[in-house]
Each structure stands twice: as structure tokens, then as C-alpha cells.
């Protein structure tokens, strides 16, 4: 994937970067381009680049602690090929944000000396299934191939749409290949494990929920309002 | 009397060395006009394993004319062989024509039977490496002055694998698709070589002298060459000029206008002689035509010939010749997407790849450039690399300011104490970044 990199003084890693503390932040930094390459090629939604502070509902304290544990141990989580099924029957309670947080952390941890190799990919299941049917689309084959190989994949909103047999085949192929090859995968969904079974089948559900399963019980953080203000304005 | 015959006998007598006769299989047939003198020397050698001295020889042949021989031995031998072949041919043709007059079939049979006898004998120069100490001297020279044999490369990380541009017998090619920074690499190379104290010659068939010079200025100062082209304010640029005007550095540039449109290998040769350059850069080998170029020549043959002629010139002049060549686009192999990792990707000519001593391909890898050593006659290249995943040298490049920042591989990060420390800390700290 081609992208243009330009050095930014507002580096996302600046606050915690040991190079910045020892040498300073300048355009000769090789950490920023390596991280930005991984970020750009990971397909993480653009609004997820910045640091996001997530406040747990009281009922989610334990779940947040477990997710934090995974974040602090993300390199081992990935190297051991672990699977995380993060679900909530409510929308907007931070599942995707957490999945992106974990992925970004992994990218930051492995970026030094990575040599511009792709390591992780975020896929939104409805988009993935649409792409899988676009046989003329040149990125179709590349995307499906990468999902079977990359160290870490986030499969966002599994079970969000009714799946045809073809859809199940596509998902099975990815999930099964990753499971067999010990590659780490994070799933997010609005379906409980039981309900997931009815959408993707028992065999696939068994693999998806074979390792860490976390439920978020809080309500949506998204709030609509009847007032219009420019973003960032007081 | 044939001068070559006289020269040979004189050389043998003066040097007291019979090996010139033995090693070149010289017989009486080659020396018809001094055959008696030759027979005497040959018999003497056969009996005493030595050449008679001039006194003894003069006693036997008081009329013999002594001359000083300054001509190379090889040219004397070539001359004798050519004369011998002429005499043979005259004899065969005369005899065959007599037979032809009587019976054409017999004449043809005779002529064909004599063809082997009329084979030209070329002198193939060779070296008996078991008794030749030239390389020992070279090695000693390199020990004394390791940097003297090489001119530094533009990117120092490559030095471990390539050492530098070798001074002599070096046709170094930078290979890449258009717009990837081949010319920038050449400009950086020229600037680095000049800074190291070498006189640099650049032939620039595509770019004007001033455009190329801006890039060289940019490589030295890291001022934006785009700003130079646009005439924007650049504090310090004038100061830089006064510094280089006072320096001993020389970078001689000739663009296509200076060559009047077409460039030949001979013109390159003259350019180097005129400028006394220690290294020659050619920013676009496709524009150079070989000596003896014929319009019927294919592009492949022409470029192959240019490569061979430049390599010979490099050996003669003891300077490296560094050139830029275009990589071919091969849709079937997806070359536009993949790195160039073999020497088969030169646009127009595989023969040129054969002539090249070293080739480095330039590839885009995300926002960085990946330099892959695809051929190295004097050492390892990346095709021999065990680590195919981490092929080549990776640089984050800002072409405007000519900053080339090396991006280390994970192994290198681990080996470097400072970097390793930063990497270890980063691994811990970055977990708190999001």
C-alpha cells in the first residue's frame, strides 16, 4: 500500500517516546515513519488515531481491567496467537475503541526495526463481506490473503448482518486459518456467544469464543444533542 | 628485410630469454629472412639451455644488424604471424589456381584441404597467476591505504557490503524505475566523492547543469533544492557559495548541450582526460552510444556495447564509472509493485547487466527507499542473503532537502547499544501511548 509520509511535530508517540527524551524530536526519527506506516496500512478508522480515554461504567470495571492487562501484555498476546471476543448487547460502549487501542498499542510496540512490513489489519465485517464479492476489485485478493497472514487482525462487528453461505465461507476461511496458524485475532460484536452461534454456526462460534471472552455491560457513550457547535469549540 | 624478424632476433639476444620463442610457438617458417640466425640460436638453446651472447653470435653472423627494440613483444609476434599467414596463403592460392586450371574438382579438394593451414593465429594475452605477483602488490597497497582503492559510497551503511566505488574495473549501475530518486542518488554520490577530495566528472544528458548543481548544493547543505529552483529566500546559501568557491573541490558537469546532442563512449573518455576526473558519473546510460555505433544496432546491442567499452575504459583509466539505468516495466511480473531483486530488469539490455560489475536497485517501500544490491562481482549481493524478508538497505528520504535517514533493521537495533536501549524503553513506554 502506497502512502505519503511527512514528518509531523505532533507525533502521537511524542509524550512517551524515549528517543524524544534522549535525542529530541526531529525529521531524522525513524520511529515515526515506521509507526505511521503500520497505522496507515492497518485500516484503523481515522478518528481512532489519537489517544482515547475510555471511562468504564461501574459494571465494566473488571472488564476494563482485563482489557488493560491485555494492552500491557499485547506483544505476548499476539505472539501466543490469542483470541479475544469482546461483546456487548449495547452499541457505543467502547468495543471498537478498545479493539483499536489494543491494535495501536501493538503497532507502537513492534514498529522499531519493522522495515515497513505490514503487521496488522482492522476489518469491519459488513465492508469485508462486500469486498469479498467484488471479484473485479484488485484489493480483494490482497486483503483476503493478508487477513490469513498478519500477526494481528481485528474483525469488527461480527454477526452484524445476516450472512449467506458464501459470507460464512469467507469468514470461516479467515478465522479457521488464523486459529490453526496461531495468529492473534480480536473480534467485536453485539451478539452474545449464544446468539453468535445462530448467525455464524456452532463450529465457527466455537473458535471465535475459544479464548478470552469479555462482555461490556455499560450503555452507549454516544449522546445526541439538539445544539450545534463546531468541534473543539468551548 | 622484415623489421619484425630483425626485432625478434635482437630481442632474444638482448634479453637472453628464449621463452618468447617457446611460448609463442615461433618456428623457422615465421622467420624466413633470418632463418640461419634463428636455427643457430635454436640449436644453441637446445644444446645448452641458454641463448648465445652477442659476441659469439657476431662471430657467426658478422653482418647481422643490431637494433634497439622498444616495441611490445606481443605486437612483434602478431606481425610475424600475420606475415607468415600471408606467405602461406600466397603459396596455397597459387598452387590451387594451377590445379583449378587443370581440374576444378581437384582444385577445390586441394583448397579445402589447406583451409586448416590458413587459420589465423591470434595472440591471446594471458597471465600465469601462479607466477604473477601483481595482485600481491595490489593487496599490499590496499593494506597500506585501505581507502585509497575505493571512493566512498553516498550511503555509508552500504560500505560493509560494497566497500565503495572501486578505482578501476568498475562499472557501477544504479537501477530503478523513473521518479524513484536515481538522479538524486547520483548527485549525493558526486557530492560525497567531492567532499572526500576526489575530482568528480558528471555527464548529465537529461538535466541541465544548473538543475543538477542545485541538487548537489542541497546534498551538501540540506537546503531545499525546490526552493533553489523557485528562487525562494534561503538564508545561508550565499555563505555556502563563498565557502565552496574558496575550496579545492572540483565537480565538472557537462550536459547534453555541451555534447551537442549525442554522447559517445569516446566523448566520455575525452571528458575524463580533459577534466582529470577521479570518478565519472553518467546520469542516464541510455543516452550514450558506443564507439562504432551503427543505426542498425538494436538498443540491447548498443547498451551492451556501451557497457563493455566503459568497463574497458574504467580499467585503463583506473577510475570507477557510475551510471544510472532505467528498470524495465514488466506487467506480467508485477514489477511496478515488487522490488527489483535481480539484474534482469535493466530496460533494454541484459548484456549491459552482464558488463556491470555492481548493480544496486532502488525500490519504493512505503515512504522509504529500499536499495537492493542485485549484483556484486566483488562480494556478496542480496540474492545470497539468507534474510529475504529484510532485503536491502532502507532509507527514509526527503528528496527536497536530500536527507537520507537509514532505517535500521531489528537486528541492527539490538546490536547498537543506544538504539537498543531506546527500543527496549519504547517497548515499555509505548504501551501507555493510547
Amino acid at each position: 500500500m502506497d502512502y505519503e509520509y511527512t514528518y509531523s511535530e505532533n507525533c502521537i508517540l511524542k509524550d512517551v517516546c524515549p528517543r524524544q527524551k534522549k535525542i529530541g524530536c526531529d525529521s531524522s526519527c525513524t520511529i515515526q515513519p515506521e509507526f505511521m506506516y503500520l497505522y496507515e496500512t492497518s485500516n484503523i478508522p481515522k478518528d481512532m488515531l489519537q489517544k482515547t480515554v475510555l471511562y468504564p461504567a461501574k459494571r465494566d470495571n473488571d472488564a476494563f481491567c482485563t482489557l488493560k492487562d491485555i494492552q500491557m501484555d499485547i506483544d505476548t498476546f499476539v505472539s501466543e496467537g490469542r483470541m479475544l471476543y469482546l461483546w456487548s448487547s449495547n452499541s457505543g460502549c467502547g468495543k471498537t475503541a478498545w479493539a483499536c487501542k489494543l491494535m495501536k498499542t501493538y503497532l507502537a510496540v513492534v514498529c522499531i526495526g519493522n522495515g515497513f512490513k505490514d503487521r496488522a489489519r482492522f476489518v469491519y465485517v459488513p465492508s469485508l463481506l462486500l469486498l469479498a464479492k467484488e471479484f473485479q476489485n484488485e484489493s480483494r485478493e490482497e486483503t483476503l490473503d493478508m487477513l490469513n497472514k498478519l500477526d494481528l487482525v481485528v474483525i469488527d462487528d461480527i454477526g452484524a448482518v445476516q450472512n449467506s453461505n458464501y459470507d460464512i465461507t469467507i469468514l470461516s476461511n479467515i478465522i479457521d486459518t488464523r486459529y490453526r496458524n496461531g495468529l492473534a485475532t480480536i473480534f467485536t460484536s453485539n451478539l452474545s456467544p449464544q446468539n453468535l452461534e445462530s448467525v455464524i454456526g456452532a463450529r465457527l462460534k466455537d473458535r471465535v469464543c475459544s479464548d478470552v471472552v469479555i462482555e461490556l455491560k455499560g450503555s452507549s457513550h454516544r449522546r445526541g444533542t439538539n445544539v450545534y457547535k463546531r468541534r473543539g469549540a468551548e | 628485410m622484415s623489421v619484425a624478424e630483425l626485432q625478434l632476433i635482437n630481442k632474444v639476444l638482448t634479453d637472453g630469454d628464449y621463452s618468447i620463442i617457446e611460448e609463442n610457438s615461433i618456428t623457422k617458417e615465421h622467420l624466413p629472412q633470418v632463418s640461419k640466425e634463428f636455427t643457430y640460436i635454436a640449436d644453441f638453446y637446445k644444446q645448452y639451455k641458454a641463448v648465445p651472447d652477442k659476441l659469439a653470435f657476431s662471430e657467426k653472423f658478422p653482418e647481422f644488424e643490431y637494433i634497439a627494440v622498444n616495441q611490445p613483444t606481443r605486437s612483434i609476434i602478431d606481425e610475424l604471424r600475420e606475415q607468415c599467414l600471408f606467405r602461406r596463403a600466397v603459396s596455397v592460392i597459387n598452387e590451387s589456381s594451377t590445379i583449378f586450371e587443370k581440374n576444378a574438382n581437384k582444385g577445390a579438394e586441394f583448397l579445402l584441404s589447406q583451409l586448416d593451414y590458413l587459420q589465423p593465429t591470434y595472440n591471446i594475452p594471458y597471465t600465469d597467476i601462479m607466477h604473477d605477483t601483481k595482485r600481491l602488490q595490489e593487496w599490499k597497497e590496499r593494506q597500506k591505504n585501505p581507502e585509497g582503492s575505493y571512493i566512498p559510497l553516498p550511503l555509508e551503511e552500504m560500505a560493509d557490503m560494497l566497500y565503495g566505488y572501486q578505482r578501476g574495473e568498475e562499472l557501477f549501475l544504479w537501477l530503478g524505475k523513473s521518479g524513484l530518486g536515481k538522479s538524486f542518488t547520483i548527485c549525493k554520490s558526486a557530492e560525497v566523492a567531492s567532499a572526500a577530495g576526489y575530482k568528480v566528472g558528471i555527464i548529465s544528458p537529461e538535466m541541465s547543469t544548473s538543475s543538477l548543481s542545485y541538487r548537489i548544493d542541497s546534498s551538501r547543505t540540506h537546503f531545499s533544492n525546490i526552493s533553489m529552483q523557485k528562487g525562494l529566500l534561503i538564508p545561508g546559501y550565499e555563505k555556502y557559495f563563498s565557502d565552496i568557491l574558496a575550496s579545492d573541490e572540483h565537480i565538472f558537469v557537462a550536459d547534453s548541450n555541451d555534447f551537442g546532442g549525442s554522447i559517445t563512449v569516446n566523448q566520455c573518455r575525452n571528458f575524463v582526460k580533459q577534466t582529470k576526473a577521479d570518478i565519472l558519473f553518467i546520469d542516464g546510460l541510455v543516452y550514450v552510444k558506443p564507439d562504432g555505433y551503427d543505426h542498425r544496432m538494436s538498443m540491447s546491442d548498443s547498451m551492451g556495447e556501451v557497457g563493455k567499452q566503459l568497463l574497458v575504459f574504467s580499467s585503463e583509466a583506473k577510475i570507477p564509472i557510475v551510471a544510472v539505468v532505467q528498470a524495465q516495466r514488466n506487467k506480467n511480473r508485477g514489477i511496478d509493485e515488487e522490488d527489483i531483486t535481480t539484474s534482469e530488469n535493466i530496460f533494454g539490455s541484459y548484456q549491459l547487466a552482464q558488463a556491470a560489475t555492481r548493480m544496486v536497485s532502488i525500490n519504493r517501500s512505503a515512504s522509504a527507499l529500499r536499495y537492493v544490491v542485485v549484483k556484486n562481482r566483488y562480494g556478496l549481493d542480496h540474492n545470497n542473503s539468507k534474510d529475504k524478508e529484510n532485503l536491502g538497505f532502507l532509507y527514509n528520504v526527503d528528496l527536497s532537502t536530500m536527507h537520507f535517514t537509514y532505517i535500521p533493521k531489528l537486528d541492527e537495533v539490538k546490536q547498537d547499544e543506544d538504539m537498543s536501549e531506546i527500543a527496549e524503553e519504547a517497548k515499555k513506554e509505548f504501551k501507555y501511548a493510547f
Side-chain angles (χ1 to χ4, degrees):
Chain A
M1 186 184 285
D2 268 358
Y3 86 104
E4 282 300 317
Y5 164 77
T6 37
Y7 166 72
S8 165
E9 286 182 1
N10 300 317
C11 177
I12 189 73
L13 302 170
K14 198 170 188 173
D15 292 343
V16 289
C17 182
R19 183 192 187 276
Q20 194 268 336
K21 285 172 196 154
K22 286 185 181 159
I23 305 168
C25 212
D26 57 49
S27 62
S28 70
C29 173
T30 59
I31 300 174
Q32 189 185 107
E34 289 257 45
F35 174 76
M36 288 311 292
Y37 173 78
L38 286 173
Y39 168 73
E40 293 281 347
T41 53
S42 71
N43 196 36
I44 292 175
K46 295 278 173 251
D47 59 341
M48 294 285 181
L49 173 61
Q50 297 302 321
K51 182 171 180 163
T52 37
V53 184
L54 299 169
Y55 298 101
K58 259 189 184 170
R59 288 169 293 170
D60 284 338
N61 272 345
D62 288 348
F64 269 54
C65 285
T66 310
L67 288 166
K68 193 73 189 169
D69 287 345
I70 294 174
Q71 186 184 14
M72 290 299 115
D73 200 35
I74 191 70
D75 36 350
T76 310
F77 178 90
V78 174
S79 68
E80 289 181 349
R82 304 294 294 268
M83 292 215 170
L84 166 65
Y85 183 66
L86 183 58
W87 73 279
S88 168
S89 47
N90 299 322
S91 299
C93 58
K95 297 183 298 296
T96 303
W98 258 113
C100 291
K101 201 189 245 285
L102 294 175
M103 183 175 266
K104 283 185 296 182
T105 307
Y106 177 67
L107 299 180
V109 166
V110 296
C111 70
I112 297 178
N114 179 55
F116 295 99
K117 290 191 290 288
D118 292 6
R119 301 294 283 257
R121 186 72 59 93
F122 177 98
V123 284
Y124 178 55
V125 171
S127 303
L128 171 69
L129 296 177
L130 276 177
L131 178 69
K133 287 163 195 149
E134 291 174 13
F135 292 92
Q136 302 300 319
N137 192 328
E138 283 178 8
S139 66
R140 175 188 178 275
E141 203 176 330
E142 190 237 337
T143 304
L144 293 177
D145 186 47
M146 291 301 246
L147 293 177
N148 287 336
K149 290 178 182 166
L150 294 170
D151 298 354
L152 175 64
V153 165
V154 169
I155 298 182
D156 187 39
D157 243 347
I158 189 167
V161 288
Q162 277 299 325
N163 296 323
S164 65
N165 281 344
Y166 178 74
D167 296 338
I168 297 290
T169 310
I170 292 292
L171 287 173
S172 294
N173 185 41
I174 296 165
I175 295 166
D176 208 51
T177 306
R178 296 191 65 77
Y179 179 79
R180 277 188 285 108
N181 293 332
L183 296 167
T185 315
I186 297 171
F187 302 90
T188 72
S189 179
N190 282 117
L191 300 176
S192 67
Q194 292 75 17
N195 290 339
L196 182 68
E197 186 174 328
S198 62
V199 178
I200 62 169
R203 191 177 156 277
L204 209 52
K205 174 251 154 187
D206 195 46
R207 278 159 170 62
V208 170
C209 301
S210 63
D211 196 357
V212 185
V213 178
I214 296 174
E215 181 190 4
L216 296 181
K217 294 171 183 158
S219 53
S220 176
H221 292 131
R222 298 183 190 122
R223 294 278 180 272
T225 149
N226 61 353
V227 179
Y228 169 74
K229 274 184 191 168
R230 283 189 174 175
R231 288 200 169 130
E234 286 296 313
Chain B
M1 177 173 282
S2 153
V3 176
E5 291 181 41
L6 200 56
Q7 282 174 320
L8 185 79
I9 298 294
N10 268 286
K11 186 153 185 62
V12 171
L13 290 171
T14 307
D15 295 351
D17 183 4
Y18 194 74
S19 64
I20 181 176
I21 307 281
E22 282 185 321
E23 284 170 10
N24 294 294
S25 309
I26 298 297
T27 64
K28 221 164 37 172
E29 193 191 2
H30 294 94
L31 305 158
Q33 294 175 39
V34 287
S35 62
K36 283 183 190 159
E37 289 87 341
F38 175 74
T39 308
Y40 171 71
I41 294 171
D43 289 346
F44 190 94
Y45 184 78
K46 206 171 167 186
Q47 196 170 349
Y48 303 109
K49 291 287 166 216
V51 173
D53 64 16
K54 281 185 180 173
L55 203 61
F57 189 81
S58 297
E59 200 180 6
K60 194 84 181 159
F61 302 99
E63 303 295 313
F64 185 79
E65 187 184 349
Y66 291 100
I67 55 169
V69 182
N70 298 317
Q71 211 171 303
T73 307
R74 197 173 303 149
S75 74
I76 299 171
I77 299 295
D78 283 347
E79 179 73 20
L80 288 174
R81 283 178 174 161
E82 196 271 334
Q83 287 171 0
C84 180
L85 183 61
F86 175 74
R87 286 190 297 274
R88 281 179 185 179
V90 168
S91 155
V92 168
I93 290 164
N94 284 343
E95 200 173 339
S96 63
S97 70
T98 313
I99 304 171
F100 264 109
E101 275 174 19
K102 291 175 190 164
N103 182 327
N105 289 335
K106 295 272 178 203
E109 271 176 29
F110 173 77
L111 191 58
L112 288 171
S113 72
Q114 297 298 307
L115 286 183
D116 265 355
Y117 183 60
L118 296 181
Q119 289 289 345
T121 323
Y122 295 113
N123 199 349
I124 311 292
Y126 58 84
T127 307
D128 177 0
I129 59 166
M130 304 310 282
H131 298 94
D132 178 66
T133 56
K134 194 176 153 208
R135 64 186 183 283
L136 180 68
Q137 300 310 322
E138 279 176 3
W139 174 68
K140 283 180 179 169
E141 271 306 308
R142 281 179 190 162
Q143 272 197 319
K144 266 191 241 162
N145 182 13
E147 275 134 33
S149 308
Y150 295 96
I151 292 176
L153 289 165
L155 305 164
E156 61 184 38
E157 291 77 13
M158 293 182 180
D160 277 350
M161 187 176 251
L162 297 170
Y163 311 117
Y165 296 124
Q166 187 170 282
R167 302 182 75 182
E169 207 184 335
E170 178 82 298
L171 176 60
F172 194 115
L173 302 182
W174 294 96
L175 165 73
K177 284 171 274 177
S178 56
L180 277 190
K182 297 189 296 292
S183 297
F184 280 97
T185 308
I186 282 264
C187 289
K188 185 162 174 60
S189 267
E191 186 271 311
V192 169
S194 171
Y198 297 99
K199 277 187 191 168
V200 172
I202 307 178
I203 292 172
S204 175
E206 277 181 354
M207 248 189 302
S208 70
T209 300
S210 64
S211 295
L212 187 132
S213 309
Y214 286 141
R215 291 185 179 186
I216 297 211
D217 294 344
S218 187
S219 174
R220 178 69 57 90
T221 61
H222 300 301
F223 297 145
S224 159
N225 52 73
I226 296 169
S227 300
M228 292 174 198
Q229 291 273 14
K230 287 182 179 170
L232 302 179
L233 183 69
I234 307 170
Y237 192 40
E238 282 187 64
K239 162 81 173 65
Y240 155 75
F241 249 94
S242 58
D243 288 348
I244 55 168
L245 285 172
S247 77
D248 285 337
E249 289 186 49
H250 296 284
I251 301 180
F252 306 103
V253 182
D255 61 24
S256 59
N257 287 334
D258 300 317
F259 281 97
S262 77
I263 305 167
T264 63
V265 171
N266 195 36
Q267 284 173 309
C268 298
R269 221 177 269 133
N270 286 334
F271 176 67
V272 170
K273 275 183 193 158
Q274 227 175 300
T275 57
K276 297 191 173 59
D278 296 310
I279 181 166
L280 174 67
F281 292 96
I282 304 172
D283 187 13
L285 204 62
V286 73
Y287 297 97
V288 180
K289 298 280 176 264
D291 295 337
Y293 174 71
D294 181 326
H295 286 286
R296 285 166 297 183
M297 252 181 174
S298 68
M299 164 81 92
S300 172
D301 288 345
S302 168
M303 285 183 74
E305 200 52 37
V306 167
K308 284 182 217 162
Q309 291 177 4
L310 286 176
L311 184 59
V312 170
F313 173 47
S314 165
S315 300
E316 285 168 359
K318 299 260 177 256
I319 63 160
I321 294 174
V322 184
V324 151
V325 280
Q326 186 88 11
Q328 69 180 346
R329 292 172 182 273
N330 186 339
K331 282 179 187 166
N332 294 334
R333 295 178 56 188
I335 283 298
D336 279 354
E337 302 298 327
E338 288 172 9
D339 286 355
I340 297 162
T341 55
T342 72
S343 56
E344 293 162 16
N345 301 112
I346 291 187
F347 173 74
S349 184
Y350 178 65
Q351 294 171 44
L352 178 59
Q354 283 183 306
T357 50
R358 270 116 50 101
M359 285 170 61
V360 176
S361 72
I362 306 176
N363 311 276
R364 182 172 287 284
S365 186
S367 69
L369 293 182
R370 189 185 296 277
Y371 292 80
V372 180
V373 180
V374 293
K375 180 178 179 183
N376 183 9
R377 189 174 285 178
Y378 306 121
L380 287 176
D381 61 40
H382 280 127
N383 290 315
N384 305 320
S385 170
K386 286 175 192 164
D387 189 5
K388 296 277 178 193
E389 283 285 301
N390 292 307
L391 207 63
F393 302 96
L394 205 54
Y395 290 86
N396 196 28
V397 179
D398 181 339
L399 292 180
S400 171
T401 57
M402 303 278 281
H403 268 114
F404 288 66
T405 309
Y406 181 63
I407 298 179
K409 293 168 190 153
L410 195 56
D411 293 350
E412 292 163 339
V413 171
K414 284 177 184 166
Q415 280 163 20
D416 184 294
E417 208 173 298
D418 292 340
M419 280 166 62
S420 163
E421 203 177 303
I422 288 176
E424 278 306 310
E425 269 184 59
K427 214 171 170 183
K428 288 177 199 152
E429 296 297 324
F430 284 172
K431 288 180 179 171
Y432 299 94
F434 302 101

